[in-house]
Amino acid sequence: MESGVNNFKDLAEIISYCVTAISLLGLWATYIFSKKQIHFTTMEKCVSNFKEITKPSGLQSDKSAEYIEFVSEELFYFENSYLPLTVSIEWIDGMIDYLPFYDKNKVFIKSNRLDALKDQNETIRLLHDYPRIRKAIQMRQEIDFEIVHISIENENDREKRRQERDKIIYTVIMNLNINWWKKIGLKQKITRR
């Protein structure tokens, strides 16, 4: 049995294997960089849009329709992995104060901040063309919405509030059309934030 390079053909084969391996590593690195760039660009766009929607204007106008459009876009980005899951978790936590929900028994829970989304009929009208949001706001487990929106007076209140909000975040993400492997371990990712 011989080992080593016996002729030019063997040397060329070894070099081609090395070039292929380096090329594959380069492609992998390019993919990772591109993915991070997409995440960054998407996050930058969403932050800019949110600031524009929440910017005080001279007129007292309800921004519910604009906010619904914005949330629909964000949920699309979550579903299609344009945003990291950790960012999605944090942003859904922020949405809790703005969105209305339906509890486990299909009872309407009004928005905490947007006037038009405090009325169930107006909410139904605004969400008519947004099935992704309608599905996302359907809770599957018992959630104490009073605790979700309490003002934090002490550390105990903060922890109770966080636990209830974590249930909402978990349900919203489970309601989205995302890969099952992203859903594995989701509860641990939410509680580690």
Side-chain angles (χ1 to χ4, degrees), residues 148-192:
V148 167
H149 297 296
I150 63 170
S151 61
I152 299 170
E153 303 292 328
N154 56 50
E155 195 57 40
N156 187 39
D157 288 347
R158 179 185 312 279
E159 184 58 26
K160 286 193 303 189
R161 181 178 188 255
R162 188 191 61 76
Q163 288 175 358
E164 291 303 306
R165 290 172 83 91
D166 285 353
K167 290 181 196 176
I168 295 172
I169 294 166
Y170 177 76
T171 303
V172 167
I173 293 174
M174 292 301 285
N175 287 343
L176 294 176
N177 186 24
I178 62 172
N179 295 328
W180 61 269
W181 58 270
K182 281 189 176 180
K183 292 179 180 180
I184 296 173
L186 184 59
K187 280 190 178 183
Q188 289 79 24
K189 289 178 185 170
I190 292 171
T191 56
R192 273 190 249 132

mmCIF file of all heavy atoms in Angstrom, residues 148-192:
data_model
loop_
_atom_site.group_PDB
_atom_site.id
_atom_site.type_symbol
_atom_site.label_atom_id
_atom_site.label_comp_id
_atom_site.label_asym_id
_atom_site.label_seq_id
_atom_site.Cartn_x
_atom_site.Cartn_y
_atom_site.Cartn_z
ATOM 1 N N VAL A 148 -51.062 41.899 32.790
ATOM 2 C CA VAL A 148 -50.272 42.236 31.601
ATOM 3 C C VAL A 148 -50.044 43.739 31.505
ATOM 4 O O VAL A 148 -48.979 44.183 31.093
ATOM 5 C CB VAL A 148 -50.973 41.712 30.318
ATOM 6 C CG1 VAL A 148 -50.364 42.313 29.064
ATOM 7 C CG2 VAL A 148 -50.911 40.193 30.268
ATOM 8 N N HIS A 149 -51.043 44.513 31.923
ATOM 9 C CA HIS A 149 -50.979 45.964 31.760
ATOM 10 C C HIS A 149 -50.801 46.743 33.069
ATOM 11 O O HIS A 149 -50.954 47.960 33.075
ATOM 12 C CB HIS A 149 -52.233 46.466 31.037
ATOM 13 C CG HIS A 149 -52.361 45.931 29.645
ATOM 14 N ND1 HIS A 149 -51.456 46.218 28.651
ATOM 15 C CD2 HIS A 149 -53.285 45.114 29.084
ATOM 16 C CE1 HIS A 149 -51.820 45.614 27.540
ATOM 17 N NE2 HIS A 149 -52.915 44.936 27.763
ATOM 18 N N ILE A 150 -50.473 46.058 34.168
ATOM 19 C CA ILE A 150 -50.313 46.800 35.427
ATOM 20 C C ILE A 150 -49.057 47.660 35.392
ATOM 21 O O ILE A 150 -48.084 47.346 34.699
ATOM 22 C CB ILE A 150 -50.256 45.854 36.667
ATOM 23 C CG1 ILE A 150 -49.038 44.923 36.604
ATOM 24 C CG2 ILE A 150 -51.533 45.102 36.856
ATOM 25 C CD1 ILE A 150 -48.782 44.146 37.886
ATOM 26 N N SER A 151 -49.117 48.744 36.126
ATOM 27 C CA SER A 151 -47.898 49.549 36.262
ATOM 28 C C SER A 151 -47.026 48.874 37.311
ATOM 29 O O SER A 151 -47.514 48.310 38.283
ATOM 30 C CB SER A 151 -48.236 50.985 36.666
ATOM 31 O OG SER A 151 -48.899 50.985 37.911
ATOM 32 N N ILE A 152 -45.756 48.951 37.085
ATOM 33 C CA ILE A 152 -44.817 48.224 37.929
ATOM 34 C C ILE A 152 -44.479 49.065 39.160
ATOM 35 O O ILE A 152 -43.904 50.143 39.043
ATOM 36 C CB ILE A 152 -43.545 47.861 37.141
ATOM 37 C CG1 ILE A 152 -43.923 46.957 35.966
ATOM 38 C CG2 ILE A 152 -42.526 47.193 38.037
ATOM 39 C CD1 ILE A 152 -42.813 46.734 34.984
ATOM 40 N N GLU A 153 -44.868 48.535 40.322
ATOM 41 C CA GLU A 153 -44.599 49.225 41.584
ATOM 42 C C GLU A 153 -43.399 48.622 42.310
ATOM 43 O O GLU A 153 -42.730 49.302 43.065
ATOM 44 C CB GLU A 153 -45.828 49.148 42.502
ATOM 45 C CG GLU A 153 -47.102 49.709 41.885
ATOM 46 C CD GLU A 153 -47.034 51.203 41.685
ATOM 47 O OE1 GLU A 153 -46.364 51.887 42.487
ATOM 48 O OE2 GLU A 153 -47.654 51.700 40.716
ATOM 49 N N ASN A 154 -43.159 47.340 42.083
ATOM 50 C CA ASN A 154 -42.052 46.657 42.758
ATOM 51 C C ASN A 154 -41.599 45.471 41.913
ATOM 52 O O ASN A 154 -42.168 45.182 40.870
ATOM 53 C CB ASN A 154 -42.489 46.203 44.165
ATOM 54 C CG ASN A 154 -43.723 45.329 44.119
ATOM 55 O OD1 ASN A 154 -43.791 44.369 43.362
ATOM 56 N ND2 ASN A 154 -44.723 45.673 44.924
ATOM 57 N N GLU A 155 -40.588 44.793 42.379
ATOM 58 C CA GLU A 155 -40.012 43.673 41.616
ATOM 59 C C GLU A 155 -40.999 42.519 41.466
ATOM 60 O O GLU A 155 -41.020 41.830 40.453
ATOM 61 C CB GLU A 155 -38.711 43.202 42.279
ATOM 62 C CG GLU A 155 -37.862 42.318 41.400
ATOM 63 C CD GLU A 155 -37.476 42.955 40.065
ATOM 64 O OE1 GLU A 155 -37.164 44.171 40.032
ATOM 65 O OE2 GLU A 155 -37.485 42.243 39.045
ATOM 66 N N ASN A 156 -41.836 42.310 42.451
ATOM 67 C CA ASN A 156 -42.836 41.247 42.378
ATOM 68 C C ASN A 156 -43.832 41.528 41.257
ATOM 69 O O ASN A 156 -44.189 40.624 40.494
ATOM 70 C CB ASN A 156 -43.552 41.115 43.731
ATOM 71 C CG ASN A 156 -44.467 39.911 43.765
ATOM 72 O OD1 ASN A 156 -44.142 38.850 43.239
ATOM 73 N ND2 ASN A 156 -45.626 40.083 44.382
ATOM 74 N N ASP A 157 -44.282 42.790 41.139
ATOM 75 C CA ASP A 157 -45.180 43.175 40.045
ATOM 76 C C ASP A 157 -44.503 42.978 38.692
ATOM 77 O O ASP A 157 -45.115 42.513 37.738
ATOM 78 C CB ASP A 157 -45.598 44.643 40.176
ATOM 79 C CG ASP A 157 -46.578 44.875 41.310
ATOM 80 O OD1 ASP A 157 -47.119 43.893 41.843
ATOM 81 O OD2 ASP A 157 -46.786 46.056 41.666
ATOM 82 N N ARG A 158 -43.237 43.348 38.625
ATOM 83 C CA ARG A 158 -42.483 43.207 37.377
ATOM 84 C C ARG A 158 -42.434 41.740 36.942
ATOM 85 O O ARG A 158 -42.649 41.421 35.780
ATOM 86 C CB ARG A 158 -41.061 43.744 37.548
ATOM 87 C CG ARG A 158 -40.201 43.618 36.286
ATOM 88 C CD ARG A 158 -38.764 44.048 36.501
ATOM 89 N NE ARG A 158 -38.603 45.319 37.179
ATOM 90 C CZ ARG A 158 -38.692 46.520 36.596
ATOM 91 N NH1 ARG A 158 -38.940 46.609 35.313
ATOM 92 N NH2 ARG A 158 -38.533 47.618 37.303
ATOM 93 N N GLU A 159 -42.182 40.849 37.883
ATOM 94 C CA GLU A 159 -42.076 39.420 37.553
ATOM 95 C C GLU A 159 -43.429 38.850 37.133
ATOM 96 O O GLU A 159 -43.515 38.106 36.152
ATOM 97 C CB GLU A 159 -41.493 38.642 38.741
ATOM 98 C CG GLU A 159 -41.267 37.184 38.464
ATOM 99 C CD GLU A 159 -40.335 36.900 37.281
ATOM 100 O OE1 GLU A 159 -39.477 37.752 36.947
ATOM 101 O OE2 GLU A 159 -40.479 35.828 36.677
ATOM 102 N N LYS A 160 -44.501 39.184 37.858
ATOM 103 C CA LYS A 160 -45.834 38.694 37.490
ATOM 104 C C LYS A 160 -46.224 39.207 36.105
ATOM 105 O O LYS A 160 -46.754 38.453 35.288
ATOM 106 C CB LYS A 160 -46.879 39.144 38.523
ATOM 107 C CG LYS A 160 -46.796 38.393 39.828
ATOM 108 C CD LYS A 160 -48.008 38.604 40.721
ATOM 109 C CE LYS A 160 -48.251 40.056 41.030
ATOM 110 N NZ LYS A 160 -49.290 40.269 42.052
ATOM 111 N N ARG A 161 -45.949 40.482 35.856
ATOM 112 C CA ARG A 161 -46.254 41.084 34.550
ATOM 113 C C ARG A 161 -45.468 40.385 33.446
ATOM 114 O O ARG A 161 -46.011 40.053 32.391
ATOM 115 C CB ARG A 161 -45.919 42.575 34.592
ATOM 116 C CG ARG A 161 -46.218 43.327 33.323
ATOM 117 C CD ARG A 161 -45.891 44.810 33.539
ATOM 118 N NE ARG A 161 -46.318 45.616 32.437
ATOM 119 C CZ ARG A 161 -45.505 46.132 31.523
ATOM 120 N NH1 ARG A 161 -44.212 45.945 31.598
ATOM 121 N NH2 ARG A 161 -45.976 46.868 30.542
ATOM 122 N N ARG A 162 -44.193 40.154 33.670
ATOM 123 C CA ARG A 162 -43.348 39.508 32.665
ATOM 124 C C ARG A 162 -43.850 38.097 32.360
ATOM 125 O O ARG A 162 -43.901 37.674 31.206
ATOM 126 C CB ARG A 162 -41.891 39.450 33.128
ATOM 127 C CG ARG A 162 -40.945 38.962 32.018
ATOM 128 C CD ARG A 162 -39.557 38.646 32.527
ATOM 129 N NE ARG A 162 -39.530 37.596 33.522
ATOM 130 C CZ ARG A 162 -39.663 36.286 33.254
ATOM 131 N NH1 ARG A 162 -39.853 35.872 32.033
ATOM 132 N NH2 ARG A 162 -39.632 35.405 34.222
ATOM 133 N N GLN A 163 -44.248 37.342 33.382
ATOM 134 C CA GLN A 163 -44.727 35.976 33.166
ATOM 135 C C GLN A 163 -45.984 35.947 32.297
ATOM 136 O O GLN A 163 -46.106 35.100 31.400
ATOM 137 C CB GLN A 163 -44.987 35.287 34.504
ATOM 138 C CG GLN A 163 -43.723 34.929 35.243
ATOM 139 C CD GLN A 163 -43.991 34.361 36.625
ATOM 140 O OE1 GLN A 163 -45.138 34.252 37.067
ATOM 141 N NE2 GLN A 163 -42.933 33.990 37.322
ATOM 142 N N GLU A 164 -46.909 36.856 32.550
ATOM 143 C CA GLU A 164 -48.131 36.900 31.739
ATOM 144 C C GLU A 164 -47.824 37.357 30.315
ATOM 145 O O GLU A 164 -48.372 36.832 29.356
ATOM 146 C CB GLU A 164 -49.174 37.813 32.383
ATOM 147 C CG GLU A 164 -49.750 37.276 33.677
ATOM 148 C CD GLU A 164 -50.382 35.896 33.548
ATOM 149 O OE1 GLU A 164 -51.267 35.707 32.689
ATOM 150 O OE2 GLU A 164 -49.985 34.993 34.312
ATOM 151 N N ARG A 165 -46.940 38.341 30.181
ATOM 152 C CA ARG A 165 -46.573 38.812 28.840
ATOM 153 C C ARG A 165 -45.829 37.715 28.071
ATOM 154 O O ARG A 165 -45.989 37.582 26.857
ATOM 155 C CB ARG A 165 -45.744 40.088 28.937
ATOM 156 C CG ARG A 165 -46.576 41.276 29.400
ATOM 157 C CD ARG A 165 -45.736 42.491 29.683
ATOM 158 N NE ARG A 165 -45.436 43.238 28.490
ATOM 159 C CZ ARG A 165 -46.172 44.233 28.016
ATOM 160 N NH1 ARG A 165 -47.286 44.586 28.638
ATOM 161 N NH2 ARG A 165 -45.811 44.878 26.934
ATOM 162 N N ASP A 166 -45.014 36.931 28.761
ATOM 163 C CA ASP A 166 -44.318 35.815 28.112
ATOM 164 C C ASP A 166 -45.303 34.811 27.524
ATOM 165 O O ASP A 166 -45.058 34.244 26.456
ATOM 166 C CB ASP A 166 -43.370 35.117 29.089
ATOM 167 C CG ASP A 166 -42.110 35.906 29.371
ATOM 168 O OD1 ASP A 166 -41.886 36.950 28.720
ATOM 169 O OD2 ASP A 166 -41.324 35.471 30.251
ATOM 170 N N LYS A 167 -46.428 34.583 28.209
ATOM 171 C CA LYS A 167 -47.451 33.673 27.677
ATOM 172 C C LYS A 167 -48.008 34.212 26.361
ATOM 173 O O LYS A 167 -48.245 33.457 25.418
ATOM 174 C CB LYS A 167 -48.596 33.501 28.683
ATOM 175 C CG LYS A 167 -48.254 32.717 29.913
ATOM 176 C CD LYS A 167 -49.517 32.632 30.772
ATOM 177 C CE LYS A 167 -49.256 32.226 32.178
ATOM 178 N NZ LYS A 167 -50.494 32.262 32.986
ATOM 179 N N ILE A 168 -48.230 35.523 26.309
ATOM 180 C CA ILE A 168 -48.751 36.135 25.081
ATOM 181 C C ILE A 168 -47.722 36.022 23.961
ATOM 182 O O ILE A 168 -48.061 35.637 22.840
ATOM 183 C CB ILE A 168 -49.133 37.613 25.316
ATOM 184 C CG1 ILE A 168 -50.297 37.702 26.295
ATOM 185 C CG2 ILE A 168 -49.494 38.293 23.992
ATOM 186 C CD1 ILE A 168 -50.619 39.118 26.738
ATOM 187 N N ILE A 169 -46.475 36.345 24.257
ATOM 188 C CA ILE A 169 -45.409 36.272 23.243
ATOM 189 C C ILE A 169 -45.326 34.855 22.687
ATOM 190 O O ILE A 169 -45.270 34.654 21.472
ATOM 191 C CB ILE A 169 -44.053 36.700 23.837
ATOM 192 C CG1 ILE A 169 -44.080 38.185 24.223
ATOM 193 C CG2 ILE A 169 -42.921 36.429 22.857
ATOM 194 C CD1 ILE A 169 -42.925 38.607 25.114
ATOM 195 N N TYR A 170 -45.340 33.876 23.580
ATOM 196 C CA TYR A 170 -45.258 32.471 23.159
ATOM 197 C C TYR A 170 -46.422 32.118 22.239
ATOM 198 O O TYR A 170 -46.224 31.527 21.168
ATOM 199 C CB TYR A 170 -45.251 31.558 24.394
ATOM 200 C CG TYR A 170 -45.231 30.099 24.047
ATOM 201 C CD1 TYR A 170 -44.061 29.488 23.614
ATOM 202 C CD2 TYR A 170 -46.379 29.327 24.145
ATOM 203 C CE1 TYR A 170 -44.040 28.137 23.289
ATOM 204 C CE2 TYR A 170 -46.362 27.984 23.818
ATOM 205 C CZ TYR A 170 -45.192 27.397 23.396
ATOM 206 O OH TYR A 170 -45.176 26.063 23.065
ATOM 207 N N THR A 171 -47.627 32.505 22.623
ATOM 208 C CA THR A 171 -48.807 32.169 21.818
ATOM 209 C C THR A 171 -48.771 32.861 20.464
ATOM 210 O O THR A 171 -49.085 32.250 19.438
ATOM 211 C CB THR A 171 -50.092 32.528 22.583
ATOM 212 O OG1 THR A 171 -50.086 31.836 23.833
ATOM 213 C CG2 THR A 171 -51.328 32.137 21.799
ATOM 214 N N VAL A 172 -48.396 34.143 20.451
ATOM 215 C CA VAL A 172 -48.328 34.866 19.173
ATOM 216 C C VAL A 172 -47.359 34.166 18.229
ATOM 217 O O VAL A 172 -47.682 33.922 17.060
ATOM 218 C CB VAL A 172 -47.928 36.347 19.386
ATOM 219 C CG1 VAL A 172 -47.555 37.006 18.066
ATOM 220 C CG2 VAL A 172 -49.056 37.116 20.056
ATOM 221 N N ILE A 173 -46.181 33.818 18.720
ATOM 222 C CA ILE A 173 -45.194 33.164 17.848
ATOM 223 C C ILE A 173 -45.673 31.782 17.418
ATOM 224 O O ILE A 173 -45.518 31.400 16.255
ATOM 225 C CB ILE A 173 -43.814 33.100 18.531
ATOM 226 C CG1 ILE A 173 -43.249 34.517 18.681
ATOM 227 C CG2 ILE A 173 -42.848 32.225 17.717
ATOM 228 C CD1 ILE A 173 -41.959 34.603 19.459
ATOM 229 N N MET A 174 -46.306 31.036 18.324
ATOM 230 C CA MET A 174 -46.828 29.723 17.952
ATOM 231 C C MET A 174 -47.937 29.850 16.902
ATOM 232 O O MET A 174 -48.116 28.952 16.089
ATOM 233 C CB MET A 174 -47.349 28.984 19.189
ATOM 234 C CG MET A 174 -46.255 28.581 20.162
ATOM 235 S SD MET A 174 -44.981 27.507 19.459
ATOM 236 C CE MET A 174 -45.849 25.961 19.361
ATOM 237 N N ASN A 175 -48.666 30.957 16.923
ATOM 238 C CA ASN A 175 -49.734 31.175 15.938
ATOM 239 C C ASN A 175 -49.195 31.575 14.567
ATOM 240 O O ASN A 175 -49.917 31.495 13.579
ATOM 241 C CB ASN A 175 -50.698 32.255 16.423
ATOM 242 C CG ASN A 175 -51.595 31.768 17.543
ATOM 243 O OD1 ASN A 175 -51.742 30.578 17.769
ATOM 244 N ND2 ASN A 175 -52.187 32.703 18.265
ATOM 245 N N LEU A 176 -47.957 32.028 14.521
ATOM 246 C CA LEU A 176 -47.373 32.433 13.241
ATOM 247 C C LEU A 176 -46.967 31.213 12.431
ATOM 248 O O LEU A 176 -46.755 30.124 12.959
ATOM 249 C CB LEU A 176 -46.156 33.336 13.475
ATOM 250 C CG LEU A 176 -46.439 34.696 14.098
ATOM 251 C CD1 LEU A 176 -45.138 35.432 14.358
ATOM 252 C CD2 LEU A 176 -47.357 35.523 13.213
ATOM 253 N N ASN A 177 -46.815 31.414 11.156
ATOM 254 C CA ASN A 177 -46.419 30.349 10.246
ATOM 255 C C ASN A 177 -44.890 30.303 10.161
ATOM 256 O O ASN A 177 -44.303 30.798 9.204
ATOM 257 C CB ASN A 177 -47.037 30.595 8.865
ATOM 258 C CG ASN A 177 -46.788 29.467 7.910
ATOM 259 O OD1 ASN A 177 -46.550 28.340 8.322
ATOM 260 N ND2 ASN A 177 -46.825 29.772 6.629
ATOM 261 N N ILE A 178 -44.271 29.727 11.209
ATOM 262 C CA ILE A 178 -42.819 29.602 11.221
ATOM 263 C C ILE A 178 -42.443 28.131 11.319
ATOM 264 O O ILE A 178 -43.255 27.295 11.688
ATOM 265 C CB ILE A 178 -42.157 30.412 12.362
ATOM 266 C CG1 ILE A 178 -42.612 29.920 13.721
ATOM 267 C CG2 ILE A 178 -42.412 31.883 12.200
ATOM 268 C CD1 ILE A 178 -41.864 30.550 14.875
ATOM 269 N N ASN A 179 -41.207 27.839 10.979
ATOM 270 C CA ASN A 179 -40.726 26.463 10.988
ATOM 271 C C ASN A 179 -40.849 25.848 12.370
ATOM 272 O O ASN A 179 -40.632 26.514 13.383
ATOM 273 C CB ASN A 179 -39.250 26.411 10.561
ATOM 274 C CG ASN A 179 -39.062 26.855 9.137
ATOM 275 O OD1 ASN A 179 -39.930 26.654 8.312
ATOM 276 N ND2 ASN A 179 -37.922 27.459 8.860
ATOM 277 N N TRP A 180 -41.138 24.558 12.408
ATOM 278 C CA TRP A 180 -41.298 23.865 13.684
ATOM 279 C C TRP A 180 -40.006 23.865 14.486
ATOM 280 O O TRP A 180 -40.020 23.923 15.703
ATOM 281 C CB TRP A 180 -41.778 22.431 13.463
ATOM 282 C CG TRP A 180 -40.817 21.603 12.653
ATOM 283 C CD1 TRP A 180 -40.807 21.457 11.301
ATOM 284 C CD2 TRP A 180 -39.707 20.855 13.148
ATOM 285 N NE1 TRP A 180 -39.767 20.666 10.921
ATOM 286 C CE2 TRP A 180 -39.066 20.264 12.036
ATOM 287 C CE3 TRP A 180 -39.194 20.609 14.411
ATOM 288 C CZ2 TRP A 180 -37.948 19.470 12.155
ATOM 289 C CZ3 TRP A 180 -38.077 19.802 14.539
ATOM 290 C CH2 TRP A 180 -37.468 19.242 13.410
ATOM 291 N N TRP A 181 -38.842 23.868 13.808
ATOM 292 C CA TRP A 181 -37.586 23.823 14.555
ATOM 293 C C TRP A 181 -37.330 25.132 15.282
ATOM 294 O O TRP A 181 -36.639 25.164 16.289
ATOM 295 C CB TRP A 181 -36.413 23.431 13.661
ATOM 296 C CG TRP A 181 -36.189 24.323 12.475
ATOM 297 C CD1 TRP A 181 -36.724 24.191 11.231
ATOM 298 C CD2 TRP A 181 -35.386 25.501 12.438
ATOM 299 N NE1 TRP A 181 -36.308 25.225 10.418
ATOM 300 C CE2 TRP A 181 -35.476 26.033 11.134
ATOM 301 C CE3 TRP A 181 -34.591 26.151 13.379
ATOM 302 C CZ2 TRP A 181 -34.812 27.192 10.755
ATOM 303 C CZ3 TRP A 181 -33.925 27.300 12.983
ATOM 304 C CH2 TRP A 181 -34.041 27.806 11.688
ATOM 305 N N LYS A 182 -37.901 26.241 14.791
ATOM 306 C CA LYS A 182 -37.789 27.516 15.510
ATOM 307 C C LYS A 182 -38.660 27.501 16.760
ATOM 308 O O LYS A 182 -38.381 28.191 17.728
ATOM 309 C CB LYS A 182 -38.207 28.685 14.630
ATOM 310 C CG LYS A 182 -37.161 29.121 13.664
ATOM 311 C CD LYS A 182 -37.601 30.403 13.018
ATOM 312 C CE LYS A 182 -36.525 30.918 12.121
ATOM 313 N NZ LYS A 182 -36.922 32.163 11.477
ATOM 314 N N LYS A 183 -39.746 26.743 16.698
ATOM 315 C CA LYS A 183 -40.668 26.687 17.829
ATOM 316 C C LYS A 183 -40.125 25.817 18.969
ATOM 317 O O LYS A 183 -40.540 25.975 20.106
ATOM 318 C CB LYS A 183 -42.027 26.157 17.365
ATOM 319 C CG LYS A 183 -42.732 27.131 16.435
ATOM 320 C CD LYS A 183 -44.057 26.583 15.968
ATOM 321 C CE LYS A 183 -44.751 27.571 15.040
ATOM 322 N NZ LYS A 183 -46.032 27.097 14.564
ATOM 323 N N ILE A 184 -39.198 24.922 18.639
ATOM 324 C CA ILE A 184 -38.605 24.072 19.669
ATOM 325 C C ILE A 184 -37.767 24.940 20.602
ATOM 326 O O ILE A 184 -36.934 25.712 20.180
ATOM 327 C CB ILE A 184 -37.732 22.961 19.038
ATOM 328 C CG1 ILE A 184 -38.603 22.024 18.208
ATOM 329 C CG2 ILE A 184 -36.966 22.187 20.108
ATOM 330 C CD1 ILE A 184 -37.847 20.999 17.422
ATOM 331 N N GLY A 185 -37.999 24.814 21.856
ATOM 332 C CA GLY A 185 -37.236 25.582 22.835
ATOM 333 C C GLY A 185 -37.631 27.039 22.930
ATOM 334 O O GLY A 185 -36.927 27.845 23.542
ATOM 335 N N LEU A 186 -38.770 27.392 22.336
ATOM 336 C CA LEU A 186 -39.202 28.783 22.309
ATOM 337 C C LEU A 186 -39.442 29.341 23.707
ATOM 338 O O LEU A 186 -39.056 30.464 24.012
ATOM 339 C CB LEU A 186 -40.469 28.916 21.458
ATOM 340 C CG LEU A 186 -41.017 30.307 21.237
ATOM 341 C CD1 LEU A 186 -39.982 31.196 20.544
ATOM 342 C CD2 LEU A 186 -42.282 30.249 20.405
ATOM 343 N N LYS A 187 -40.052 28.541 24.572
ATOM 344 C CA LYS A 187 -40.330 29.023 25.936
ATOM 345 C C LYS A 187 -39.036 29.403 26.653
ATOM 346 O O LYS A 187 -38.986 30.410 27.358
ATOM 347 C CB LYS A 187 -41.092 27.972 26.738
ATOM 348 C CG LYS A 187 -42.553 27.944 26.419
ATOM 349 C CD LYS A 187 -43.319 27.091 27.379
ATOM 350 C CE LYS A 187 -44.787 27.154 27.019
ATOM 351 N NZ LYS A 187 -45.619 26.418 27.946
ATOM 352 N N GLN A 188 -37.988 28.605 26.477
ATOM 353 C CA GLN A 188 -36.712 28.914 27.127
ATOM 354 C C GLN A 188 -36.115 30.208 26.570
ATOM 355 O O GLN A 188 -35.554 31.006 27.308
ATOM 356 C CB GLN A 188 -35.702 27.770 26.957
ATOM 357 C CG GLN A 188 -36.032 26.535 27.766
ATOM 358 C CD GLN A 188 -37.109 25.681 27.127
ATOM 359 O OE1 GLN A 188 -37.321 25.724 25.921
ATOM 360 N NE2 GLN A 188 -37.825 24.930 27.940
ATOM 361 N N LYS A 189 -36.230 30.404 25.265
ATOM 362 C CA LYS A 189 -35.704 31.645 24.660
ATOM 363 C C LYS A 189 -36.464 32.861 25.163
ATOM 364 O O LYS A 189 -35.875 33.905 25.380
ATOM 365 C CB LYS A 189 -35.799 31.565 23.133
ATOM 366 C CG LYS A 189 -34.824 30.607 22.526
ATOM 367 C CD LYS A 189 -34.975 30.530 21.029
ATOM 368 C CE LYS A 189 -34.048 29.448 20.482
ATOM 369 N NZ LYS A 189 -34.295 29.145 19.103
ATOM 370 N N ILE A 190 -37.757 32.715 25.354
ATOM 371 C CA ILE A 190 -38.562 33.846 25.834
ATOM 372 C C ILE A 190 -38.192 34.178 27.271
ATOM 373 O O ILE A 190 -37.997 35.347 27.609
ATOM 374 C CB ILE A 190 -40.064 33.536 25.693
ATOM 375 C CG1 ILE A 190 -40.453 33.479 24.206
ATOM 376 C CG2 ILE A 190 -40.911 34.565 26.446
ATOM 377 C CD1 ILE A 190 -41.845 32.968 23.946
ATOM 378 N N THR A 191 -38.046 33.178 28.121
ATOM 379 C CA THR A 191 -37.756 33.448 29.527
ATOM 380 C C THR A 191 -36.326 33.906 29.753
ATOM 381 O O THR A 191 -36.033 34.503 30.788
ATOM 382 C CB THR A 191 -38.035 32.211 30.408
ATOM 383 O OG1 THR A 191 -37.287 31.099 29.931
ATOM 384 C CG2 THR A 191 -39.516 31.874 30.414
ATOM 385 N N ARG A 192 -35.436 33.670 28.799
ATOM 386 C CA ARG A 192 -34.034 34.102 28.943
ATOM 387 C C ARG A 192 -33.805 35.543 28.518
ATOM 388 O O ARG A 192 -32.698 36.042 28.618
ATOM 389 C CB ARG A 192 -33.110 33.208 28.103
ATOM 390 C CG ARG A 192 -32.678 31.978 28.850
ATOM 391 C CD ARG A 192 -31.600 31.267 28.075
ATOM 392 N NE ARG A 192 -32.171 30.025 27.579
ATOM 393 C CZ ARG A 192 -32.074 29.597 26.342
ATOM 394 N NH1 ARG A 192 -31.423 30.274 25.430
ATOM 395 N NH2 ARG A 192 -32.637 28.467 25.974
#
